[in-house]
Amino acid sequence: MKNRDGEGGSERRTSANYEKNDWKTKRNKRRLGGKGLSLDAFANAKSKPSGYNPSLIKKQKEFYRNARYVSKYKKLLNQQNQASDLLSTASEHEVGNDKENVPKQSRNKKKKNSLQSLREEYEKKREEDEKARMEREGIIQAKKEERAKAEARRKSLREKMFKKTRSGQPVMKYRIEHLLEGLMESSKK
């Protein structure tokens, strides 16, 4: 028998070891809800207060996967039914007064109509997209012009504020004008 270190050797099991292991299994059984658990009981026992439940998520994934298979199967059945209906109507027309071309022409018209309607939809969507793009470009252009004007204003103001006299003193005329403009704006608000 191996001891905890993994080395060979004999270790006598005492009643304390049995009681300790027995207590662990009892605690685990109590935690899991008894000896035998159904999947639902296990899911409820393992669910956390945050709402995360791995077994429930697994069930939902399986449900959606099955639903996908069912919908594919129904689509396949519908396609087969439509194909059989087309074959039966075609055979009825062949038996009739040689009106084989009539269904083909009507199908061609439907195709042309659908192509025209698709083309019209495409053109409308393209025009809408073009209008939206032009509006976005207009907005962007207006913002660029506004930025350029603001930049020019700041540049001229900066030049005025840093002007110096011959002796190197700052020109106070522009600084006082700037202060007056700020006061006027604040009094208007």
Side-chain angles (χ1 to χ4, degrees):
M1 191 178 292
K2 293 184 178 180
N3 61 10
R4 289 185 193 175
D5 297 334
E7 298 172 5
S10 64
E11 182 181 284
R12 292 182 65 198
R13 290 198 172 240
T14 61
S15 60
N17 285 342
Y18 282 122
E19 288 174 12
K20 188 176 181 183
N21 289 337
D22 192 35
W23 178 77
K24 283 184 181 178
T25 55
K26 281 183 182 178
R27 185 184 64 190
N28 286 338
K29 283 181 184 178
R30 201 175 339 118
R31 183 174 57 86
L32 293 174
K35 288 183 180 179
L37 285 175
S38 65
L39 186 59
D40 292 330
F42 180 73
N44 291 335
K46 291 302 257 183
S47 64
K48 296 178 182 175
S50 65
Y52 174 73
N53 190 344
S55 57
L56 188 62
I57 292 171
K58 187 176 180 181
K59 276 185 181 180
Q60 288 174 343
K61 283 183 181 177
E62 186 177 352
F63 173 78
Y64 287 122
R65 191 181 314 122
N66 289 340
R68 212 177 328 141
Y69 291 145
V70 168
S71 65
K72 283 182 182 179
Y73 175 72
K74 286 182 179 180
K75 285 180 185 177
L76 191 79
L77 282 179
N78 285 337
Q79 288 175 355
Q80 288 177 350
N81 288 339
Q82 289 176 354
S84 64
D85 289 344
L86 288 175
L87 289 175
S88 64
T89 55
S91 62
E92 289 174 6
H93 286 293
E94 288 176 5
V95 174
N97 298 328
D98 292 333
K99 295 183 180 178
E100 294 175 14
N101 294 336
V102 174
K104 289 181 181 177
Q105 289 176 353
S106 64
R107 267 192 245 138
N108 287 340
K109 285 182 182 179
K110 286 180 183 176
K111 283 183 182 178
K112 286 180 182 176
N113 289 340
S114 64
L115 285 175
Q116 288 175 349
S117 63
L118 285 173
R119 185 166 289 155
E120 289 172 2
E121 275 186 51
Y122 172 73
E123 291 296 327
K124 285 180 184 177
K125 185 165 176 58
R126 207 171 111 201
E127 288 175 8
E128 290 173 3
D129 290 344
E130 187 69 23
K131 285 179 184 177
R133 188 179 63 81
M134 293 297 281
E135 288 176 7
R136 283 194 304 264
E137 286 180 1
I139 291 169
I140 290 169
Q141 188 67 26
K143 284 183 180 179
K144 281 184 181 178
E145 289 174 2
E146 193 176 315
R147 268 193 225 119
K149 286 180 184 176
E151 186 78 25
R153 242 184 287 121
R154 282 196 299 271
K155 191 175 180 181
S156 66
L157 180 65
R158 187 166 188 235
E159 286 176 4
K160 288 178 183 177
M161 296 294 273
F162 285 120
K163 271 196 174 182
K164 306 276 183 182
T165 61
R166 283 186 188 175
S167 60
Q169 297 296 316
V171 177
M172 295 304 289
K173 173 178 140 182
Y174 302 113
R175 293 180 181 217
I176 292 171
E177 283 178 4
H178 180 67
L179 288 171
L180 283 173
E181 287 173 6
L183 289 171
M184 296 293 281
E185 286 178 15
S186 64
S187 66
K188 286 179 184 176
K189 292 180 181 178

